[in-house]
Amino acid sequence: MLYRSFVLPIGSYILSNAMDNTARMWDIRPFAEGNRQAKVFHGHQHNFEKILLKCSWSPDGSLVGVGSSNRFVYAYSTSTAQIKYKLPGHAGSVNEVVFHPEEPIIASCSSDKHIYLGEIDYKWEQEN
């Protein structure tokens, strides 16, 4: 199974995106007891191309951005593992998703050779 992992900005968790159509958050703290799998994020898709779809954390760690082969950018809440944003626009698999370090912006690149920017309403995020 192919996957890609990324470390949360605070360094206690990593994120993986696997070919089973899940992204997972793993606890990597030393001597942590119990199950190391903290969250499972469902909704995005992989397809027959088996392209490595990169994922990332928002700067504050409240959101996880995941690319998908169904041409959407998914942003999940790290606290609830629910989809907060599903951003359309690409004509091919979304290969990478990154958050701007200071602004509420998600950048995504795709097999369609385009880069798109999407805005996130962090005020709405904090109220809900």
Side-chain angles (χ1 to χ4, degrees), residues 40-59:
V40 179
F41 306 97
H42 298 277
H44 61 287
Q45 299 173 9
H46 289 264
N47 63 13
F48 66 93
E49 294 174 322
K50 297 187 179 183
I51 296 172
L52 185 60
L53 305 176
K54 297 180 181 180
C55 48
S56 67
W57 302 95
S58 63

Side-chain angles (χ1 to χ4, degrees), residues 19-114:
M19 293 300 296
D20 66 355
N21 299 326
T22 64
R24 297 171 190 261
M25 187 167 70
W26 302 92
D27 184 349
I28 59 168
R29 294 175 295 170
F31 309 108
E33 294 183 18
N35 187 359
R36 294 283 185 157
Q37 181 179 290
K39 302 275 181 180
V40 179
F41 306 97
H42 298 277
H44 61 287
Q45 299 173 9
H46 289 264
N47 63 13
F48 66 93
E49 294 174 322
K50 297 187 179 183
I51 296 172
L52 185 60
L53 305 176
K54 297 180 181 180
C55 48
S56 67
W57 302 95
S58 63
D60 65 356
S62 67
L63 294 173
V64 169
V66 180
S68 181
S69 64
N70 69 354
R71 305 182 310 243
F72 286 92
V73 173
Y74 289 81
Y76 298 93
S77 166
T78 55
S79 60
T80 65
Q82 299 297 313
I83 298 170
K84 289 292 184 182
Y85 301 97
K86 184 177 174 182
L87 307 175
H90 285 289
S93 293
V94 178
N95 302 326
E96 186 164 4
V97 176
V98 295
F99 289 86
H100 189 282
E102 297 172 4
E103 300 294 327
I105 297 173
I106 297 178
S108 58
C109 62
S110 170
S111 298
D112 65 8
K113 300 180 183 177
H114 287 94

